[in-house]
Amino acid sequence: MNDDLATPGADPSLSPGTAHLSHGTGESGAEPRGCLFALSQPPLMLFLAVIGALLLFTALYDLYAW
């Protein structure tokens, strides 16, 4: 990105081009968090495990119901 408009000695974390990278962590140059970060959250994993177990149970029930 072209930083011709940036003033010399200015904080790079405050420039408009890099504002989306820090996500409020205060670290300049930090990589943005993607969707895999969301999958590492315990409540989401618990919810997905319950839904997966219900789907597995219903599939096995349909398969072996007599």
Side-chain angles (χ1 to χ4, degrees), residues 2-52:
N2 191 356
D3 287 333
D4 289 339
L5 298 176
T7 58
D11 186 12
S13 64
L14 299 178
S15 66
T18 60
H20 66 281
L21 295 177
S22 64
H23 293 289
T25 60
E27 299 175 6
S28 62
E31 292 187 20
R33 294 179 176 175
C35 61
L36 289 179
F37 174 76
L39 285 178
S40 67
Q41 303 301 313
L44 179 62
M45 291 306 291
L46 181 64
F47 172 74
L48 292 177
V50 168
I51 297 299

